[in-house]
Amino acid sequence: LDAAAEHASLIVECGQALQAALVQLGNPGGNEFLGRAARHAASWEHRADEILTAQRQAARHVDGGGAVTMLTTIADDAIDALEEAIFLLTLLPSQAISVIRPILEPVAAITALTAREHLKAVEIACQVVGGSAPEDLEDFLVAVDRVVTLEHDADSADRIARAALVTDAPEFRSLYIADSISRGA
């Protein structure tokens, strides 16, 4: 679970980087910020892969390790998608920013919030497994429920963003890039 928590913290970093990159997009120094965010995201995604590989190896020797590794494997798809979304932002034409940014910002905000809730659930799970108090189990279940609720909210935000992109994107290239970002967030 400690490895899963470290992995989840990297997802939080990528989610927050995507959100911050959208805010900086089109502002003075925004391209430099975006370049740094893309490099950091690539580094975090690589580190997440290393954590998952080590967790898979360790899971062979730990009772129940396979179940935790399966959850981390699923979560690894999230950091892969986030890293790709940040990279795709670097391809967005400057003339599309003013239209695309407000469409994608709500999706990125939910993504960052969901990543934080996922991390919270994993960190509480570490405490629950360690034999903590009953209220920690309740906190864990609330955090898991919150992640599920946010996942539904993210699906709705993605659909709203994609519908807006189809009608508002200035040209096909921007639509394609922004839609890929929305699906990856």
PDB file of all heavy atoms in Angstrom, residues 18-25 27 97-112 157 161 181 185:
ATOM      1  N   LEU A  18      -1.720  19.447 -14.965  1.00  0.00           N
ATOM      2  CA  LEU A  18      -2.631  19.686 -16.081  1.00  0.00           C
ATOM      3  C   LEU A  18      -3.507  20.904 -15.800  1.00  0.00           C
ATOM      4  O   LEU A  18      -3.662  21.781 -16.657  1.00  0.00           O
ATOM      5  CB  LEU A  18      -3.512  18.457 -16.330  1.00  0.00           C
ATOM      6  CG  LEU A  18      -4.593  18.623 -17.401  1.00  0.00           C
ATOM      7  CD1 LEU A  18      -3.973  18.897 -18.769  1.00  0.00           C
ATOM      8  CD2 LEU A  18      -5.489  17.400 -17.444  1.00  0.00           C
ATOM      9  N   GLN A  19      -4.038  20.959 -14.600  1.00  0.00           N
ATOM     10  CA  GLN A  19      -4.886  22.087 -14.227  1.00  0.00           C
ATOM     11  C   GLN A  19      -4.103  23.406 -14.289  1.00  0.00           C
ATOM     12  O   GLN A  19      -4.575  24.390 -14.851  1.00  0.00           O
ATOM     13  CB  GLN A  19      -5.448  21.854 -12.825  1.00  0.00           C
ATOM     14  CG  GLN A  19      -6.505  22.833 -12.423  1.00  0.00           C
ATOM     15  CD  GLN A  19      -7.112  22.503 -11.060  1.00  0.00           C
ATOM     16  OE1 GLN A  19      -6.523  21.797 -10.247  1.00  0.00           O
ATOM     17  NE2 GLN A  19      -8.295  23.039 -10.817  1.00  0.00           N
ATOM     18  N   ALA A  20      -2.905  23.422 -13.748  1.00  0.00           N
ATOM     19  CA  ALA A  20      -2.084  24.627 -13.751  1.00  0.00           C
ATOM     20  C   ALA A  20      -1.663  25.010 -15.169  1.00  0.00           C
ATOM     21  O   ALA A  20      -1.640  26.196 -15.516  1.00  0.00           O
ATOM     22  CB  ALA A  20      -0.852  24.430 -12.872  1.00  0.00           C
ATOM     23  N   ALA A  21      -1.361  24.024 -15.992  1.00  0.00           N
ATOM     24  CA  ALA A  21      -0.953  24.307 -17.366  1.00  0.00           C
ATOM     25  C   ALA A  21      -2.093  24.960 -18.146  1.00  0.00           C
ATOM     26  O   ALA A  21      -1.862  25.885 -18.929  1.00  0.00           O
ATOM     27  CB  ALA A  21      -0.495  23.021 -18.059  1.00  0.00           C
ATOM     28  N   LEU A  22      -3.313  24.508 -17.904  1.00  0.00           N
ATOM     29  CA  LEU A  22      -4.454  25.136 -18.570  1.00  0.00           C
ATOM     30  C   LEU A  22      -4.600  26.593 -18.145  1.00  0.00           C
ATOM     31  O   LEU A  22      -4.897  27.458 -18.963  1.00  0.00           O
ATOM     32  CB  LEU A  22      -5.739  24.372 -18.263  1.00  0.00           C
ATOM     33  CG  LEU A  22      -6.030  23.185 -19.173  1.00  0.00           C
ATOM     34  CD1 LEU A  22      -7.151  22.335 -18.611  1.00  0.00           C
ATOM     35  CD2 LEU A  22      -6.351  23.650 -20.579  1.00  0.00           C
ATOM     36  N   VAL A  23      -4.377  26.857 -16.868  1.00  0.00           N
ATOM     37  CA  VAL A  23      -4.485  28.231 -16.363  1.00  0.00           C
ATOM     38  C   VAL A  23      -3.417  29.110 -17.003  1.00  0.00           C
ATOM     39  O   VAL A  23      -3.686  30.253 -17.379  1.00  0.00           O
ATOM     40  CB  VAL A  23      -4.370  28.257 -14.816  1.00  0.00           C
ATOM     41  CG1 VAL A  23      -4.192  29.681 -14.308  1.00  0.00           C
ATOM     42  CG2 VAL A  23      -5.589  27.599 -14.181  1.00  0.00           C
ATOM     43  N   GLN A  24      -2.219  28.576 -17.158  1.00  0.00           N
ATOM     44  CA  GLN A  24      -1.099  29.352 -17.698  1.00  0.00           C
ATOM     45  C   GLN A  24      -1.111  29.455 -19.221  1.00  0.00           C
ATOM     46  O   GLN A  24      -0.457  30.339 -19.781  1.00  0.00           O
ATOM     47  CB  GLN A  24       0.229  28.732 -17.257  1.00  0.00           C
ATOM     48  CG  GLN A  24       0.478  28.821 -15.775  1.00  0.00           C
ATOM     49  CD  GLN A  24       0.568  30.259 -15.312  1.00  0.00           C
ATOM     50  OE1 GLN A  24       1.138  31.121 -15.967  1.00  0.00           O
ATOM     51  NE2 GLN A  24      -0.038  30.543 -14.166  1.00  0.00           N
ATOM     52  N   LEU A  25      -1.845  28.574 -19.865  1.00  0.00           N
ATOM     53  CA  LEU A  25      -1.888  28.528 -21.320  1.00  0.00           C
ATOM     54  C   LEU A  25      -2.305  29.876 -21.899  1.00  0.00           C
ATOM     55  O   LEU A  25      -3.313  30.443 -21.511  1.00  0.00           O
ATOM     56  CB  LEU A  25      -2.881  27.444 -21.746  1.00  0.00           C
ATOM     57  CG  LEU A  25      -2.781  26.892 -23.143  1.00  0.00           C
ATOM     58  CD1 LEU A  25      -1.425  26.247 -23.367  1.00  0.00           C
ATOM     59  CD2 LEU A  25      -3.882  25.879 -23.378  1.00  0.00           C
ATOM     60  N   ASN A  27      -0.901  32.723 -21.438  1.00  0.00           N
ATOM     61  CA  ASN A  27      -0.391  33.841 -20.639  1.00  0.00           C
ATOM     62  C   ASN A  27       1.095  34.040 -20.926  1.00  0.00           C
ATOM     63  O   ASN A  27       1.766  33.130 -21.420  1.00  0.00           O
ATOM     64  CB  ASN A  27      -0.583  33.565 -19.138  1.00  0.00           C
ATOM     65  CG  ASN A  27      -2.049  33.570 -18.757  1.00  0.00           C
ATOM     66  OD1 ASN A  27      -2.862  34.254 -19.363  1.00  0.00           O
ATOM     67  ND2 ASN A  27      -2.389  32.790 -17.742  1.00  0.00           N
ATOM     68  N   ILE A  97      -6.690  28.712 -28.052  1.00  0.00           N
ATOM     69  CA  ILE A  97      -6.603  28.707 -26.592  1.00  0.00           C
ATOM     70  C   ILE A  97      -7.807  29.373 -25.932  1.00  0.00           C
ATOM     71  O   ILE A  97      -8.393  28.822 -24.997  1.00  0.00           O
ATOM     72  CB  ILE A  97      -5.283  29.355 -26.119  1.00  0.00           C
ATOM     73  CG1 ILE A  97      -4.101  28.472 -26.514  1.00  0.00           C
ATOM     74  CG2 ILE A  97      -5.301  29.590 -24.609  1.00  0.00           C
ATOM     75  CD1 ILE A  97      -2.750  29.116 -26.304  1.00  0.00           C
ATOM     76  N   SER A  98      -8.191  30.535 -26.409  1.00  0.00           N
ATOM     77  CA  SER A  98      -9.272  31.275 -25.743  1.00  0.00           C
ATOM     78  C   SER A  98     -10.600  30.528 -25.799  1.00  0.00           C
ATOM     79  O   SER A  98     -11.445  30.696 -24.919  1.00  0.00           O
ATOM     80  CB  SER A  98      -9.420  32.673 -26.348  1.00  0.00           C
ATOM     81  OG  SER A  98      -9.800  32.577 -27.708  1.00  0.00           O
ATOM     82  N   VAL A  99     -10.784  29.677 -26.791  1.00  0.00           N
ATOM     83  CA  VAL A  99     -12.009  28.886 -26.902  1.00  0.00           C
ATOM     84  C   VAL A  99     -11.884  27.583 -26.122  1.00  0.00           C
ATOM     85  O   VAL A  99     -12.797  27.182 -25.403  1.00  0.00           O
ATOM     86  CB  VAL A  99     -12.323  28.589 -28.393  1.00  0.00           C
ATOM     87  CG1 VAL A  99     -13.488  27.622 -28.527  1.00  0.00           C
ATOM     88  CG2 VAL A  99     -12.595  29.879 -29.143  1.00  0.00           C
ATOM     89  N   ILE A 100     -10.750  26.936 -26.242  1.00  0.00           N
ATOM     90  CA  ILE A 100     -10.556  25.593 -25.692  1.00  0.00           C
ATOM     91  C   ILE A 100     -10.354  25.599 -24.180  1.00  0.00           C
ATOM     92  O   ILE A 100     -10.891  24.750 -23.466  1.00  0.00           O
ATOM     93  CB  ILE A 100      -9.360  24.901 -26.382  1.00  0.00           C
ATOM     94  CG1 ILE A 100      -9.577  24.824 -27.894  1.00  0.00           C
ATOM     95  CG2 ILE A 100      -9.074  23.547 -25.775  1.00  0.00           C
ATOM     96  CD1 ILE A 100     -10.763  24.042 -28.351  1.00  0.00           C
ATOM     97  N   ARG A 101      -9.581  26.560 -23.674  1.00  0.00           N
ATOM     98  CA  ARG A 101      -9.257  26.575 -22.243  1.00  0.00           C
ATOM     99  C   ARG A 101     -10.499  26.536 -21.356  1.00  0.00           C
ATOM    100  O   ARG A 101     -10.593  25.681 -20.468  1.00  0.00           O
ATOM    101  CB  ARG A 101      -8.367  27.754 -21.888  1.00  0.00           C
ATOM    102  CG  ARG A 101      -8.025  27.755 -20.395  1.00  0.00           C
ATOM    103  CD  ARG A 101      -7.133  28.869 -19.924  1.00  0.00           C
ATOM    104  NE  ARG A 101      -7.377  30.110 -20.599  1.00  0.00           N
ATOM    105  CZ  ARG A 101      -6.430  30.987 -20.918  1.00  0.00           C
ATOM    106  NH1 ARG A 101      -5.189  30.749 -20.603  1.00  0.00           N
ATOM    107  NH2 ARG A 101      -6.728  32.107 -21.527  1.00  0.00           N
ATOM    108  N   PRO A 102     -11.489  27.413 -21.527  1.00  0.00           N
ATOM    109  CA  PRO A 102     -12.647  27.374 -20.626  1.00  0.00           C
ATOM    110  C   PRO A 102     -13.460  26.081 -20.740  1.00  0.00           C
ATOM    111  O   PRO A 102     -14.141  25.696 -19.787  1.00  0.00           O
ATOM    112  CB  PRO A 102     -13.482  28.584 -21.023  1.00  0.00           C
ATOM    113  CG  PRO A 102     -12.914  29.116 -22.274  1.00  0.00           C
ATOM    114  CD  PRO A 102     -11.564  28.532 -22.471  1.00  0.00           C
ATOM    115  N   ILE A 103     -13.358  25.423 -21.870  1.00  0.00           N
ATOM    116  CA  ILE A 103     -14.069  24.148 -22.032  1.00  0.00           C
ATOM    117  C   ILE A 103     -13.372  23.048 -21.243  1.00  0.00           C
ATOM    118  O   ILE A 103     -14.027  22.199 -20.619  1.00  0.00           O
ATOM    119  CB  ILE A 103     -14.169  23.780 -23.530  1.00  0.00           C
ATOM    120  CG1 ILE A 103     -15.063  24.792 -24.258  1.00  0.00           C
ATOM    121  CG2 ILE A 103     -14.690  22.358 -23.710  1.00  0.00           C
ATOM    122  CD1 ILE A 103     -15.056  24.647 -25.774  1.00  0.00           C
ATOM    123  N   LEU A 104     -12.043  23.055 -21.252  1.00  0.00           N
ATOM    124  CA  LEU A 104     -11.280  21.982 -20.595  1.00  0.00           C
ATOM    125  C   LEU A 104     -11.031  22.221 -19.109  1.00  0.00           C
ATOM    126  O   LEU A 104     -10.777  21.261 -18.369  1.00  0.00           O
ATOM    127  CB  LEU A 104      -9.944  21.784 -21.315  1.00  0.00           C
ATOM    128  CG  LEU A 104     -10.028  21.254 -22.742  1.00  0.00           C
ATOM    129  CD1 LEU A 104      -8.636  21.127 -23.342  1.00  0.00           C
ATOM    130  CD2 LEU A 104     -10.760  19.924 -22.793  1.00  0.00           C
ATOM    131  N   GLU A 105     -11.090  23.460 -18.647  1.00  0.00           N
ATOM    132  CA  GLU A 105     -10.782  23.739 -17.238  1.00  0.00           C
ATOM    133  C   GLU A 105     -11.667  22.958 -16.256  1.00  0.00           C
ATOM    134  O   GLU A 105     -11.144  22.422 -15.272  1.00  0.00           O
ATOM    135  CB  GLU A 105     -10.843  25.237 -16.967  1.00  0.00           C
ATOM    136  CG  GLU A 105      -9.598  25.956 -17.458  1.00  0.00           C
ATOM    137  CD  GLU A 105      -9.637  27.460 -17.260  1.00  0.00           C
ATOM    138  OE1 GLU A 105     -10.731  28.054 -17.191  1.00  0.00           O
ATOM    139  OE2 GLU A 105      -8.539  28.043 -17.163  1.00  0.00           O
ATOM    140  N   PRO A 106     -12.978  22.846 -16.463  1.00  0.00           N
ATOM    141  CA  PRO A 106     -13.777  22.063 -15.502  1.00  0.00           C
ATOM    142  C   PRO A 106     -13.383  20.586 -15.464  1.00  0.00           C
ATOM    143  O   PRO A 106     -13.383  19.961 -14.397  1.00  0.00           O
ATOM    144  CB  PRO A 106     -15.221  22.222 -16.007  1.00  0.00           C
ATOM    145  CG  PRO A 106     -15.213  23.456 -16.839  1.00  0.00           C
ATOM    146  CD  PRO A 106     -13.832  23.533 -17.442  1.00  0.00           C
ATOM    147  N   VAL A 107     -13.017  20.036 -16.604  1.00  0.00           N
ATOM    148  CA  VAL A 107     -12.584  18.636 -16.650  1.00  0.00           C
ATOM    149  C   VAL A 107     -11.285  18.479 -15.867  1.00  0.00           C
ATOM    150  O   VAL A 107     -11.131  17.541 -15.068  1.00  0.00           O
ATOM    151  CB  VAL A 107     -12.411  18.160 -18.111  1.00  0.00           C
ATOM    152  CG1 VAL A 107     -11.894  16.731 -18.162  1.00  0.00           C
ATOM    153  CG2 VAL A 107     -13.717  18.283 -18.882  1.00  0.00           C
ATOM    154  N   ALA A 108     -10.358  19.398 -16.069  1.00  0.00           N
ATOM    155  CA  ALA A 108      -9.079  19.333 -15.358  1.00  0.00           C
ATOM    156  C   ALA A 108      -9.274  19.518 -13.852  1.00  0.00           C
ATOM    157  O   ALA A 108      -8.593  18.864 -13.048  1.00  0.00           O
ATOM    158  CB  ALA A 108      -8.113  20.379 -15.904  1.00  0.00           C
ATOM    159  N   ALA A 109     -10.194  20.377 -13.459  1.00  0.00           N
ATOM    160  CA  ALA A 109     -10.453  20.600 -12.033  1.00  0.00           C
ATOM    161  C   ALA A 109     -10.989  19.334 -11.372  1.00  0.00           C
ATOM    162  O   ALA A 109     -10.543  18.955 -10.278  1.00  0.00           O
ATOM    163  CB  ALA A 109     -11.429  21.759 -11.846  1.00  0.00           C
ATOM    164  N   ILE A 110     -11.925  18.669 -12.028  1.00  0.00           N
ATOM    165  CA  ILE A 110     -12.462  17.418 -11.470  1.00  0.00           C
ATOM    166  C   ILE A 110     -11.380  16.347 -11.445  1.00  0.00           C
ATOM    167  O   ILE A 110     -11.285  15.569 -10.494  1.00  0.00           O
ATOM    168  CB  ILE A 110     -13.699  16.955 -12.265  1.00  0.00           C
ATOM    169  CG1 ILE A 110     -14.866  17.901 -11.999  1.00  0.00           C
ATOM    170  CG2 ILE A 110     -14.079  15.521 -11.909  1.00  0.00           C
ATOM    171  CD1 ILE A 110     -16.087  17.643 -12.846  1.00  0.00           C
ATOM    172  N   THR A 111     -10.551  16.326 -12.462  1.00  0.00           N
ATOM    173  CA  THR A 111      -9.455  15.353 -12.516  1.00  0.00           C
ATOM    174  C   THR A 111      -8.508  15.537 -11.332  1.00  0.00           C
ATOM    175  O   THR A 111      -8.143  14.562 -10.664  1.00  0.00           O
ATOM    176  CB  THR A 111      -8.690  15.483 -13.846  1.00  0.00           C
ATOM    177  OG1 THR A 111      -9.592  15.207 -14.914  1.00  0.00           O
ATOM    178  CG2 THR A 111      -7.511  14.548 -13.898  1.00  0.00           C
ATOM    179  N   ALA A 112      -8.108  16.769 -11.068  1.00  0.00           N
ATOM    180  CA  ALA A 112      -7.190  17.037  -9.953  1.00  0.00           C
ATOM    181  C   ALA A 112      -7.841  16.674  -8.624  1.00  0.00           C
ATOM    182  O   ALA A 112      -7.196  16.068  -7.754  1.00  0.00           O
ATOM    183  CB  ALA A 112      -6.760  18.502  -9.965  1.00  0.00           C
ATOM    184  N   ALA A 157     -18.604  15.841 -17.022  1.00  0.00           N
ATOM    185  CA  ALA A 157     -17.825  17.006 -17.456  1.00  0.00           C
ATOM    186  C   ALA A 157     -17.159  16.741 -18.803  1.00  0.00           C
ATOM    187  O   ALA A 157     -17.100  17.632 -19.656  1.00  0.00           O
ATOM    188  CB  ALA A 157     -16.783  17.377 -16.403  1.00  0.00           C
ATOM    189  N   ALA A 161     -17.785  18.855 -22.152  1.00  0.00           N
ATOM    190  CA  ALA A 161     -16.644  19.453 -22.846  1.00  0.00           C
ATOM    191  C   ALA A 161     -16.589  18.996 -24.300  1.00  0.00           C
ATOM    192  O   ALA A 161     -16.392  19.813 -25.208  1.00  0.00           O
ATOM    193  CB  ALA A 161     -15.341  19.107 -22.131  1.00  0.00           C
ATOM    194  N   ILE A 181      -7.339  15.582 -25.133  1.00  0.00           N
ATOM    195  CA  ILE A 181      -6.998  16.048 -23.787  1.00  0.00           C
ATOM    196  C   ILE A 181      -8.145  15.769 -22.840  1.00  0.00           C
ATOM    197  O   ILE A 181      -7.953  15.245 -21.733  1.00  0.00           O
ATOM    198  CB  ILE A 181      -6.655  17.556 -23.781  1.00  0.00           C
ATOM    199  CG1 ILE A 181      -5.345  17.804 -24.546  1.00  0.00           C
ATOM    200  CG2 ILE A 181      -6.542  18.094 -22.351  1.00  0.00           C
ATOM    201  CD1 ILE A 181      -5.100  19.259 -24.891  1.00  0.00           C
ATOM    202  N   ALA A 185      -8.016  13.389 -19.421  1.00  0.00           N
ATOM    203  CA  ALA A 185      -8.056  14.020 -18.102  1.00  0.00           C
ATOM    204  C   ALA A 185      -8.980  13.262 -17.166  1.00  0.00           C
ATOM    205  O   ALA A 185      -9.794  12.510 -17.500  1.00  0.00           O
ATOM    206  CB  ALA A 185      -8.516  15.456 -18.210  1.00  0.00           C
TER     207      ALA A 185
END
